[in-house]
Amino acid sequence: MNTPMNILTALFMFLIGLYAVKRGIFRDFPSHKPFIKRVWLISLLTSIPLSAGIILLHLKILNFGILNEQLIQSLLTISGLSLSFFYISTILFLLEREKWKRILHPFSYVGRMALTNYITQTIIGVGIFTGLGMFGEVNIGLGILISIIVLPLQMILSYFWLKHFRFGPLEWVWRSLTYGEFQPMKKQL
């Protein structure tokens, strides 16, 4: 089980995100552009061989016997980090263009309700994998199909929810607990 490593990886990503926000990288992208360009290039050049290694091990073109699965898991963890940096930096560059701002805008609704959507995805996953007895049975094709159904549905539901309310339901609970009093939920018209 890779749970301890996954927890450390998630903690690392949260800390990197906190650092990026504190440094103003997202708020003042133009002044950090050379740094982001280096992150983009390094993460791309790191991700390509890692991903190739995963494929070669998975297809058993490279075969290290009983170590194969552990090597795949290790490469998945490392490539997950490098690909995250690549995706984030790519999105930052895309958001400089008006066309891409319009294309990517629907994701903002899901992001504004990130906790609610994350927990909803967890409930859906638990329902599919354990409730329907499909744990360990979902291949990549079915996983993609589930994603193609769930994410757009969450975008639509988030959009309509946020037309009437300031926060997602779990975000409201979180804010209310943080401030020690119920936060106003409905939007003022």
Side-chain angles (χ1 to χ4, degrees):
M1 199 64 145
N2 267 347
T3 302
M5 192 59 180
N6 290 340
I7 291 170
L8 288 175
T9 302
L11 177 61
F12 175 74
M13 293 305 289
F14 277 116
L15 292 174
I16 291 293
L18 180 63
Y19 172 78
V21 169
K22 291 281 187 190
R23 290 283 313 264
I25 290 173
F26 302 118
R27 186 180 61 248
D28 186 19
F29 175 69
S31 67
H32 294 94
K33 202 170 183 176
F35 171 72
I36 301 297
K37 206 174 271 190
R38 284 192 306 276
V39 168
W40 181 87
L41 183 61
I42 291 168
S43 61
L44 173 65
L45 295 176
T46 304
S47 298
I48 291 171
L50 291 170
S51 298
I54 293 166
I55 292 167
L56 294 172
L57 287 165
H58 185 72
L59 296 175
K60 299 208 183 336
I61 294 170
L62 289 177
N63 193 347
F64 295 94
I66 60 171
L67 294 177
N68 257 32
E69 282 307 310
Q70 188 57 44
L71 286 170
I72 289 172
Q73 288 304 314
S74 298
L75 290 176
L76 280 169
T77 298
I78 298 166
S79 70
L81 293 170
S82 64
L83 284 169
S84 295
F85 289 119
F86 175 73
Y87 296 148
I88 291 167
S89 56
T90 299
I91 289 169
L92 287 172
F93 284 116
L94 289 175
L95 288 173
E96 284 190 302
R97 300 192 173 130
E98 211 47 52
K99 174 187 172 186
W100 280 102
K101 279 184 183 178
R102 283 192 311 278
I103 291 170
L104 295 173
H105 184 73
F107 289 96
S108 69
Y109 304 117
V110 176
R112 287 181 52 205
M113 292 179 49
L115 180 60
T116 299
N117 284 309
Y118 176 75
I119 297 300
T120 303
Q121 287 174 3
T122 302
I123 292 167
I124 291 168
V126 168
I128 291 171
F129 303 130
T130 57
L132 298 177
M134 296 178 71
F135 185 76
E137 303 297 321
V138 176
N139 61 29
I140 195 160
L142 184 54
I144 290 171
L145 179 63
I146 292 168
S147 300
I148 288 172
I149 293 168
V150 171
L151 183 61
L153 188 59
Q154 285 187 309
M155 283 181 181
I156 293 166
L157 292 173
S158 296
Y159 169 76
F160 284 110
W161 179 273
L162 291 170
K163 281 183 80 146
H164 303 287
F165 301 102
R166 297 175 63 210
F167 320 107
L170 295 180
E171 289 74 16
W172 175 80
V173 169
W174 188 266
R175 282 175 177 263
S176 295
L177 289 172
T178 300
Y179 292 108
E181 61 182 308
F182 291 118
Q183 298 297 299
M185 181 68 153
K186 279 194 154 256
K187 280 190 170 179
Q188 301 297 322
L189 299 177

